[in-house]
Amino acid sequence: MSSAPPPAPPPARRPRADAARNRARIVEVARASFTDTGQDASLEGIARAAGVGIGTLYRHFPTREDLVAAVYDTELTSVLATVEPLLARHTPDVALRTFMDRYAAFVVTKRGMAETLRAGAFRDAVGSARTRERVNAAIATILAAGAALGVLRPAVPADDVTAALVGVFLATAGVEDQEQVGRLLDLLVSGLRP
């Protein structure tokens, strides 16, 4: 008596279009609310501003931390998506410097969010190996293009550049000289040129 293999699970269903729109709208409203209001941002207010009920918000994001992590991930994805357009418009060294500015602006905005919200999930999202891999992949794309054109040194590990960026951000947290980040990023890019 042979036993038949168990039936395959049904394929995962894509969310309904209205559910996907609701989720995207909640994230959009939450981003603005967390940035503007910080810890005073109420989930009820976010749901109301997004045009959904609080139950819909909780269905998508069971905890505040889940919502914060989704906002972070959405914005990180947006910053990382600028790499190819930057390379299409600029030489790789200029594209790298411009990307660094965009990434720095993202980090500064999120630093404020982390300080004002319960940040457990946020810290996990920021420090995760997956986030580091995604940033490394974006930087590696630019470095490879720069090496191919001879405007950036070859064989520079992307993770070294990412680590240097993190160092700049950590070293300048809370400094009064707002232009210091830009000067340090200029130095970093200069060091990557042949």
Side-chain angles (χ1 to χ4, degrees):
M1 177 174 193
S2 69
S3 64
R13 289 184 7 195
R14 289 184 358 167
R16 294 184 339 239
D18 61 333
R21 278 192 305 273
N22 286 343
R23 186 182 196 287
R25 180 74 181 135
I26 291 166
V27 170
E28 176 187 332
V29 170
R31 181 201 55 75
S33 186
F34 290 153
T35 301
D36 295 342
T37 311
Q39 68 186 9
D40 296 329
S42 80
L43 296 183
E44 291 82 5
I46 291 169
R48 192 171 36 258
V52 301
I54 192 67
T56 298
L57 184 145
Y58 280 120
R59 236 183 335 276
H60 289 285
F61 308 102
T63 68
R64 176 181 291 266
E65 289 80 7
D66 292 333
L67 181 55
V68 171
V71 168
Y72 174 86
D73 185 64
T74 299
E75 291 195 36
L76 176 63
T77 298
S78 178
V79 170
L80 297 178
T82 66
V83 168
E84 293 299 335
L86 286 172
L87 285 171
R89 286 193 306 273
H90 304 289
T91 59
D93 56 333
V94 173
L96 179 61
R97 183 62 182 84
T98 305
F99 171 78
M100 287 177 173
D101 280 338
R102 291 179 181 182
Y103 190 61
F106 164 75
V107 168
V108 167
T109 302
K110 297 312 140 232
R111 185 182 290 149
M113 184 189 290
E115 291 167 0
T116 58
L117 296 172
R118 288 181 287 150
F122 183 80
R123 275 193 305 273
D124 290 345
V126 171
S128 77
R130 178 71 183 125
T131 295
R132 184 78 169 235
E133 289 170 8
R134 292 173 67 198
V135 173
N136 283 347
I139 290 172
T141 298
I142 300 172
L143 292 175
L149 288 179
V151 297
L152 294 172
R153 290 193 292 153
V156 174
D159 194 56
D160 288 359
V161 177
T162 301
L165 279 173
V166 170
V168 167
F169 302 147
L170 290 173
T172 57
V175 298
E176 290 183 26
D177 183 359
Q178 298 298 310
E179 296 176 7
Q180 186 178 29
V181 171
R183 290 193 307 269
L184 291 171
L185 295 178
D186 287 342
L187 285 171
L188 179 55
V189 173
S190 291
L192 292 169
R193 289 189 174 106

